[in-house]
Amino acid sequence: MSHSAVYAGRESVSTRNPHSAAISPAELTKALAKLSPEERILGQWRAAYGCPVSDEAKAQFCIHAVGRTFRLSDVRLWKEHHPLGKDASNNGTVYLEFFYDGTASELEGHQDEFTKAFEQMIDAQLQERRVVEFRKKLTARRRAGRGVGSASNDLDTAFAGDDVTDQDWRDYLRKPVPPSEFSIRSFREAGCMLLFLVCQTSLSLSASEVLGQIAFQEHFPIDGKPQEPSKSDKPLPRWVYGMAACTAGMTVVTIYAWWQVVRQVALVGGDPSGGSLVAIA
């Protein structure tokens, strides 16, 4: 049976990653805030390495190509290009690895199609982030002009009617999105029991920060303000429950074995005729 057939029914979007950060994101944010922008962003990507990707990123980072939907499983810093101690030596380029449910063999003869779809997805995420930023700024501007009590309109109607009267604000969304400098460097497969299609990419510093703000909300503040940690309602993978049951079973067996050892020592030590102890002078 081919790998594609084996993994056809497995989608990372249906479960959540059971891992978490080793150090509190709040503590790291304070320390990283003192660094240069490049060192700070790379430090944030290092801190997020192996942490659960937000449900928002899993939904928004899908790639529709080759007649199917590739769903995101993980995003990680491509560490071979970012060795420790050299965070400011890549001229503003960040290298990331995107892990998707799938195999490299599915892209044979269709890599150009997949690459184009990937680029469109990245551009769409950057533009959507600008829309969100614009709405927040517009809402804050209206509150400052009319008072908090009169600024209760919904964000979705922020562009309606005469709310936007300043031409500078009208032109905000017409401005070109800063170049993402996105490029797919190579493809590979990863995993042992579960295979992933890994897209090894490079992109600009600002673009990588925007993607980090979507994928790892607790690690990437916006304008220096921490985001609310993403809360997933997805179940844990089934192997987590199996491992927990196995660990609990081994713990019980270990405790019972030690109890038997202690019991035998107590019985022999408390019975004068239970053993011949020879004292060596």
Side-chain angles (χ1 to χ4, degrees):
M1 184 180 294
S2 66
H3 286 305
S4 299
V6 172
Y7 299 109
R10 178 183 64 83
E11 294 181 350
S12 293
V13 72
S14 63
T15 60
R16 59 188 170 95
N17 191 330
H19 302 96
S20 60
I23 304 176
S24 169
E27 296 178 8
L28 282 174
T29 298
K30 293 180 180 179
L32 294 174
K34 303 175 183 178
L35 304 178
S36 67
E38 184 168 357
E39 291 174 326
R40 172 180 56 80
I41 292 172
L42 288 174
Q44 290 168 334
W45 274 110
R46 281 201 175 88
Y49 193 93
C51 291
V53 175
S54 70
D55 288 349
E56 293 86 346
K58 287 187 176 183
Q60 294 173 218
F61 290 6
C62 290
I63 298 177
H64 306 281
V66 199
R68 59 158 293 190
T69 299
F70 292 84
R71 301 191 181 277
L72 182 72
S73 173
D74 199 1
V75 187
R76 297 185 178 186
L77 188 69
W78 191 356
K79 288 189 172 181
E80 285 77 4
H81 286 274
H82 296 288
L84 285 172
K86 298 182 179 180
D87 284 349
S89 60
N90 285 287
N91 298 319
T93 299
V94 178
Y95 295 83
L96 300 177
E97 292 186 309
F98 292 77
F99 291 69
Y100 283 93
D101 291 333
T103 59
S105 61
E106 296 179 75
L107 302 186
E108 292 181 0
H110 301 281
Q111 290 190 2
D112 290 341
E113 176 187 348
F114 183 88
T115 299
K116 183 178 180 180
F118 206 142
E119 292 174 347
Q120 292 174 344
M121 183 273 291
I122 295 294
D123 290 341
Q125 295 310 312
L126 298 180
Q127 182 62 35
E128 178 62 25
R129 177 58 64 175
R130 285 171 59 80
V131 171
V132 171
E133 180 184 354
F134 174 77
R135 288 175 174 173
K136 289 181 178 179
K137 289 184 176 181
L138 180 59
T139 300
R141 180 171 177 262
R142 285 160 52 199
R143 284 176 177 169
R146 303 179 186 177
V148 176
S150 61
S152 58
N153 292 339
D154 187 83
L155 288 178
D156 291 336
T157 62
F159 304 111
D162 295 327
D163 287 332
V164 184
T165 57
D166 193 337
Q167 188 62 36
D168 291 338
W169 287 96
R170 289 180 180 275
D171 292 341
Y172 184 87
L173 291 182
R174 297 196 186 103
K175 294 179 181 178
V177 177
S180 64
E181 301 176 13
F182 174 79
S183 174
I184 294 183
R185 300 305 180 102
S186 60
F187 298 97
R188 69 179 179 89
E189 288 184 349
C192 180
M193 298 182 66
L194 301 177
L195 287 182
F196 296 98
L197 168 64
V198 182
C199 306
Q200 297 177 311
T201 69
S202 64
L203 62 167
S204 68
L205 195 67
S206 59
S208 73
E209 183 177 27
V210 170
L211 298 183
Q213 290 170 346
I214 300 172
F216 302 104
Q217 297 164 6
E218 65 275 23
H219 289 285
F220 286 84
I222 296 179
D223 295 331
K225 299 179 180 179
Q227 298 190 76
E228 192 72 24
S230 176
K231 297 180 181 179
S232 176
D233 58 356
K234 306 296 183 183
L236 290 169
R238 284 177 292 181
W239 63 263
V240 174
Y241 300 103
M243 180 175 291
C246 182
T247 301
M250 292 298 296
T251 301
V252 171
V253 170
T254 302
I255 293 175
Y256 179 77
W258 275 107
W259 178 77
Q260 288 291 339
V261 171
V262 172
R263 179 171 173 270
Q264 290 298 323
V265 170
L267 289 176
V268 172
D271 185 359
S273 60
S276 57
L277 299 177
V278 179
I280 301 178

